[in-house]
Amino acid sequence: MKYMLLKTYGPAASCDIPITEWTPEEIKAHMDFQRALGAELAKTGELVDAQGLAGPDEARLVSSDGRSAPVITDGPFPETKEFLAGYWIVDVESPERALEIAAQASAAPGPGGKPIGEYIEVRAVMGAPATE
């Protein structure tokens, strides 16, 4: 069973201090935690992919009617306080295991090394809908 675990940048359950205000050591500890989690999941064979994403200031929205030139605009509105920061795709034996990994990811360290309680959205990766 494949699941996507979505990491959103924004206030967390136990930390509302933006990462831009963390010390370099706190950021390093957070990133080291992310790399260690990825390495652990790769070792167990559960990791399919994991990526961090560029910030919303680099995002572009594209829409097209299929006939004329596409319309390309800047990303999310400036007042956006939360945005998709990254993801993991895992291939696990059960939904419970996906939730367990999400809980582990949620406990990433923040200021003072304390777990931040990040909100991790867990969604099953679905196949295409039936065409008949």
Side-chain angles (χ1 to χ4, degrees):
M1 305 171 81
K2 289 185 183 171
Y3 290 87
M4 180 175 265
L5 285 56
L6 302 163
K7 176 183 174 74
T8 304
Y9 177 79
S14 302
C15 179
D16 61 358
I17 301 169
I19 197 168
T20 55
E21 296 178 18
W22 297 7
T23 67
E25 295 79 17
E26 291 167 339
I27 293 170
K28 181 181 182 321
H30 185 81
M31 298 310 297
D32 288 348
F33 176 92
Q34 301 297 337
R35 283 189 279 278
L37 177 57
E40 177 186 326
L41 296 172
K43 184 177 178 182
T44 63
E46 295 171 309
L47 183 66
V48 175
D49 189 28
Q51 299 293 326
L53 302 174
D57 56 322
E58 295 183 40
R60 301 295 175 262
L61 296 175
V62 179
S63 63
S64 174
D65 63 8
R67 294 181 301 276
S68 53
V71 176
I72 302 170
T73 59
D74 288 342
F77 299 109
E79 63 269 12
T80 299
K81 291 181 175 39
E82 296 179 359
F83 60 88
L84 186 60
Y87 66 88
W88 297 266
I89 297 177
V90 295
D91 192 351
V92 293
E93 293 293 321
S94 68
E96 292 78 20
R97 177 62 180 143
L99 295 172
E100 182 180 300
I101 295 167
Q104 188 176 357
S106 175
K114 296 178 184 170
I116 61 175
E118 229 173 343
Y119 296 107
I120 307 293
E121 183 178 347
V122 179
R123 297 180 64 181
V125 175
M126 305 299 290
T131 57
E132 295 179 13

